[in-house]
Amino acid sequence: MTATAVVPHSDLDPFSDAFLDDPYDAHRALRDAGPVVYLDHYRVWAFARFAQVRAVLTDPATFCSSAGVGLTDFRKETPWRAPSLLLEADQPEHTRARHAITKVLTPKVVRRFRDTFTQAAEVLVGKLLDRGTFDVVADLAEAFPLQVFPDAVGLPPDGRENLLPYGSMVFNGFGPRNHLFEEAMAGGVAVRDWIMAHCEADALSPDGVGALIHQAAAEEGYEPGERALLVRSFLSAGVDTTVHGLGNAVFCLATHQDQWQALRADPSLARAAFEETIRFESPVQTFFRTTTVDVQIAGVTLPAGEKVLTFLGAANRDPREWENPDEFDLSRRAAGHVGFGAGTHACVGQMLARLEGEALLGALARQVETLELAGPPVRQLSNTLRGLQTLPVRVG
Ligand code: OVV
């Protein structure tokens, strides 16, 4: 069949402030325009429907990651940092890196953190309850992962303030060179140097996950420099994502009082509440892939070597897949969303993320009776992440 179908074009800029501030109407327009849409602004193909996003993510041979999962095509332009051995790799290199990491992130290791995370969450929530009013983003959604995650990795106590600015560079770095990209990269040399230095074995405590990664990577035959690069994946992907997930979860609960009451009545819903948040306000909104061959989709031929943009957040609210997708509902089966991706590249840390979510939302459910906004939430714009800059609340 020849490619005769007409491709809908869109002049939407998914990395503009207006789009990022409130993407949901634009997501609907992209989904309704067709299974694949051409974005004139960036000359890339866009997928916003659940079925197509899932199809792209689960066909890594056709839609590869090694040309980068941001707008930059690594085959044509030099990326701002050395490519990730995990995220920005294809078979067989990706499989090898993934194997080294899954050897470490076993259910047993994740279980080891359950008590630590739960206790830390209970203590933190207890302190905030005493204060009454606080900023969910700084005091809870950032404070909690910034304590438990670097502890788990085995980072020293000093210098952890570099983790969020680095995450901002990474996630804004997937987008175009707009003001968000430039602002994130500004003055980042010291941040990058700190991160790279703390990926080395001698900077990590011997009993942490970072040291275990070095061990597992050595067993896989990786050179020391490559082992450090695998640790970099943890420091890149492990903090900002959970910060936004936790902040979004509290935002959803505070603005959906019936769901907050449901969680309070049954704190064992904490895990479901986190999962529904990942679907409803997906912290990671977008990732790119690159076509490796000419590929036919819905009668349209996408040439080889083209960037395609998958809208995870739009797929997670596609009415073709979800009932009442714009309702935040803890009782729905949110499993199957693509907020953690799908296929071979699906989030390798998702069990750790869920554990953080369960611990923190569980602590809130057990200790807090009333949760209400104490001021207007302010959004934090990012080329990839959806989340808040500040979220003032009052608890009782
Ligand atoms: C999923 C993700 C996000 C950002 C960075 C990385 C992975 C990495 O492997 O560096």
Side-chain angles (χ1 to χ4, degrees), residues 332-389:
R332 82 161 73 235
R333 285 176 42 101
H337 66 72
V338 289
F340 287 121
T344 48
H345 281 277
C347 179
V348 76
Q350 58 183 284
M351 298 315 273
L352 223 41
R354 288 199 183 97
L355 190 60
E356 288 184 31
E358 183 183 358
L360 198 67
L361 301 182
L364 287 170
R366 284 184 288 269
Q367 295 189 54
V368 175
E369 278 179 37
T370 57
L371 168 69
E372 55 192 24
L373 297 187
V378 178
R379 219 149 255 298
Q380 182 184 323
L381 301 188
S382 157
N383 280 331
T384 305
L385 298 175
R386 178 161 179 80
L388 297 166
Q389 180 68 45

Side-chain angles (χ1 to χ4, degrees), residues 81 84 86-87 170-171 174 232-233 236-237 287:
R81 62 172 196 163
S84 164
L86 188 67
L87 180 76
V170 168
F171 286 101
F174 293 130
R232 196 193 68 178
S233 284
S236 303
F287 268 131

Side-chain angles (χ1 to χ4, degrees), residues 85-86 89-98 222:
L85 296 177
L86 188 67
D90 295 320
Q91 241 202 338
E93 292 84 2
H94 168 260
T95 315
R96 186 164 163 242
R98 179 93 183 189
Y222 282 106

